[in-house]
Amino acid sequence: MSSASSIKPYLIRAVYEWCIDNGHCPYISVLEEGCSGVSVELFENRKVTLNISSQSVTDLLIDNEIIQFVTRFNGVPKKVSIMLGAVVAIFSRESGQGLTFAPEINIEPNDENNADDSVLPKEQPSSHYLPPTGKTILKVIK
């Protein structure tokens, strides 16, 4: 018997499509450790929220392991790659509706001692992960 694939990429694609179908702007929040192509100064508490609408990115690919796209930062095109394990939320900018996820990557504190305290230690189950409060308000979809 083979193990089932992760449901996470399917949920991310579903929320993305729901946003597009409803004229909303899809945003993703990701951890720095699983993201390449984004300037370090854009991260706050080792996280960044990115607009992945078709007006902001080109060549968007959301597969079962990675999200890739090309976007511009200060007018300079950059290819961005995000491991799905680093995605902690996908949501609509307009309504705040979407989904949050427990991080699935190892997070090591950096030398500057500014590690994100909102991530639970490894010994605690990920099912108890609650995202930190902040500017984005996500609503439970029933």
Side-chain angles (χ1 to χ4, degrees), residues 34 57 60 63 74 88 92 94 100 112 118-119 140:
V57 304
L60 176 66
D63 75 12
N74 295 322
V88 293
S92 159
E94 291 77 6
T100 60
E112 298 167 5
S118 67
V119 179
V140 176

Side-chain angles (χ1 to χ4, degrees), residues 31-108:
L31 299 175
E32 178 180 7
E33 290 78 6
C35 185
S36 66
V38 178
S39 266
V40 173
E41 58 268 1
L42 295 177
F43 287 90
E44 184 175 313
N45 294 325
R46 300 177 73 131
K47 292 182 187 164
V48 68
T49 300
L50 301 166
N51 176 345
I52 59 168
S53 69
S54 60
Q55 291 81 20
S56 297
V57 304
T58 58
D59 301 326
L60 176 66
L61 169 70
I62 304 173
D63 75 12
N64 290 350
E65 296 177 14
I66 198 164
I67 297 174
Q68 291 181 328
F69 53 87
V70 176
T71 192
R72 292 182 175 269
F73 294 105
N74 295 322
V76 178
K78 296 279 185 173
K79 183 174 183 178
V80 176
S81 295
I82 302 163
M83 296 182 340
L84 280 186
V87 177
V88 293
I90 181 166
F91 58 94
S92 159
R93 177 187 69 196
E94 291 77 6
S95 70
Q97 291 182 311
L99 295 173
T100 60
F101 304 98
E104 300 168 3
I105 61 174
N106 291 329
I107 300 170
E108 301 292 329

